[in-house]
Amino acid sequence: MSGTSEGPTPAADLDRSAVTDSDPTPYHRVFAAAPLAMAVVNAEGLVVSANAAFGELLGAAPEALTGRPAADLVDLAADTRTRHAYREVLGGRQARLRCTRRLKHRDGTSVWAQVTVAPLADGAPGVLLSVTDVSAHRELQARLRHLQMHDPVTRLPNRTLFFERLSAALEAESYEQGGTGRIGLCYLDLDGFKAVNDTLGHRVGDRLLAAVAQRLTRVADEAGYARNGTPLVARLGGDEFALLVEDSTGTDQLSDLAGCALRALEEPFDLAGQRLSLTASIGVVERHAAGTTATGLMQAADTTLYWAKADGKARWTLFDPERNAHRMTRQALSSTLRPAIERGEFALEYQPLVGMEDGRLSGVEALVRWHHPQFGTLTPNRFIGLAEEDGSIVQLGRWALSTACRQARRWQLDHPGEPPIFVSVNVAVRQVWDSDLVADVDRILGESGLAPHLLQLELTESAVMGSAGRPLQALQALSDMGVRIAIDDFGTGYSNLAYLSRLPVSVLKLDGSFVRGFQYEEHQETATGTPPNPADEVIVEAMIQLAHRLGLTVTAECVETSAQATRLRRIGCDTGQGWLYSRPVPPDRISELLGVQTYAVGKP
């Protein structure tokens, strides 16, 4: 403790003449009988006189202390800072020193004492040293700190103490002095704990938390016994616990610890007549302490715990940098979707739809691309799901629909001698629910001048098959308007053709998984030596025949070889789409293809 300039204690008013044995003044008697332990110390730091309270505190007769170095008696030379301040007070260069020391009694007990050193009054030589027993105060402070740093339900270290220990472990001096220089964390959350509180009450919930804490403590103790270092178990709040491993030896150690914790919690809990079973999910992080922050470690642990929950609960999951990078990218994309639409970062490419019989270009599918300034050109599978989650799919879908219709009308005006081609635009279910799709389509068709029969809207099979209420009404109104409705990726969902008779659908688009089975010529074996399964063709042919009987046309997706095209044409497929004909291309490339009598397959 450093010296201070606080006001003088009452004992400091005693001058040196008042405490000498030869002066029978009342001051001498006060000094000798005072309950405050005091001693007069000369300029050399030696005790000149000590009162009875001082002797009692140190377990010695006052006379036996005379001539002894005061610094040794009350531990003033223990550290450089205090030693220097004490010398400054003895030399008259500093007004006062006050510090706290732990003093040992002769009987082996110890007390916490506040030591004050101040000059004697009236310029008398030497200083007055006084000692106050503050053990009770220190004990109270320790009890209050314990209460402040520990959870009252589980008696484990709480969030405050956990972060104090974590921050200390991440300081350079903690891991540079030796050890592995690594740190590990198991971040645990109880699965379904809220249901316990809601159904059985908080009293039972608290008992369950206390029982969980006991089992986790036992796991930590056993792990510490095996590895000479006991993990810190803490309750971070609610039903969240943490096991902190300083000087971890690697992911194997943390994985073992997490596994032991899960197994310990799998055993049923007997709580005052209630037999409860629960599981837990754990996020596991292990890394070098250097360069790691408490915030960064906890964020990684929280993310990994979320993965464990999302992957099915009742498990531990190890932090995966690649998975985390994907999550961060996903968050970055999600946060910039709406502004990107306003900044015009999206564009449409178009993939030809070709008649299987005549090879003529009959239509195109509009496919959106995001030209992201950081991640480059992104295909729909990277951002459509995000747009559906945050609702920006409505704004994006409206833009795509308007852009595609204007482009289709432009092709029609630029090539008046050619049969006009239709444009097919994907529509998300949320566009039907969260916007007035019928009004949007009617307005866009009117503004662009495109005839309704030249617009095709594609919805996924699972969305259309369950249509009822507002979605069904919207699809019917669009069909009545003359717009064609297509089911995209048909065959991957319900595949209920009978249900199609009650829907205003005009086109089925066969999912590419069916078409891939047509990749080889008849009797040609695959690279594995296995001939193609003839059942693929039987199934597709049956689907096409049933669709035709319902008055629907069929488009095959992912047509990549002439063998596929030949076999699809033979069984009656109407339209093909895929890399055999063209990849998705910019609008000007479609303009070049409009005058081609028979579509040039192969190169886009």
Side-chain angles (χ1 to χ4, degrees), residues 228-290:
N228 298 322
T230 302
L232 171 72
V233 183
R235 182 189 177 198
L236 302 187
D239 58 344
E240 297 177 359
F241 295 82
L243 291 90
L244 179 66
V245 180
E246 300 178 46
D247 285 327
S248 64
T249 57
T251 55
D252 287 345
Q253 179 189 3
L254 270 295
S255 300
D256 290 344
L257 181 63
C260 290
L262 289 182
R263 288 190 293 273
L265 298 180
E266 286 175 355
E267 294 295 325
F269 292 83
D270 292 312
L271 304 173
Q274 296 283 350
R275 188 173 176 84
L276 302 175
S277 296
L278 57 77
T279 59
S281 301
I282 304 179
V284 179
V285 184
E286 201 279 340
R287 57 181 54 170
H288 286 288

Side-chain angles (χ1 to χ4, degrees), residues 335-473:
S335 64
T336 56
L337 251 173
R338 291 181 185 274
I341 300 172
E342 298 170 358
R343 289 194 297 264
E345 294 178 4
F346 290 90
L348 293 182
E349 290 184 347
Y350 301 87
Q351 188 168 30
L353 299 165
V354 178
M356 302 293 290
E357 284 295 332
D358 58 11
R360 294 293 298 266
L361 177 66
S362 59
V364 293
E365 179 181 354
L367 299 167
V368 65
R369 302 288 186 262
W370 184 358
H371 299 302
H372 196 282
Q374 179 181 355
F375 302 112
T377 300
L378 305 177
T379 52
N381 64 311
R382 295 290 302 277
F383 57 84
I384 289 298
L386 296 175
E388 291 177 339
E389 289 176 10
D390 69 6
S392 60
I393 189 66
V394 174
Q395 182 183 1
L396 180 59
R398 189 179 291 124
W399 168 85
L401 183 64
S402 176
T403 303
C405 288
R406 289 199 310 271
Q407 182 59 63
R409 178 59 175 164
R410 172 55 54 193
W411 286 322
Q412 185 179 8
L413 294 176
D414 290 345
H415 301 272
E418 299 293 333
I421 61 173
F422 70 89
V423 63
S424 188
V425 182
N426 290 278
V427 175
V429 176
R430 191 160 181 174
Q431 289 179 255
V432 183
W433 282 105
D434 294 0
S435 69
D436 193 342
L437 181 63
V438 177
D440 286 342
V441 170
D442 185 58
R443 174 181 56 80
I444 290 171
L445 289 176
E447 292 173 352
S448 65
L450 186 69
H453 73 278
L454 295 178
L455 174 62
Q456 176 174 290
L457 299 181
E458 296 186 20
L459 289 89
T460 61
E461 177 186 347
S462 57
V464 176
M465 287 301 183
S467 293
R470 182 175 177 180
L472 180 58
Q473 294 172 5

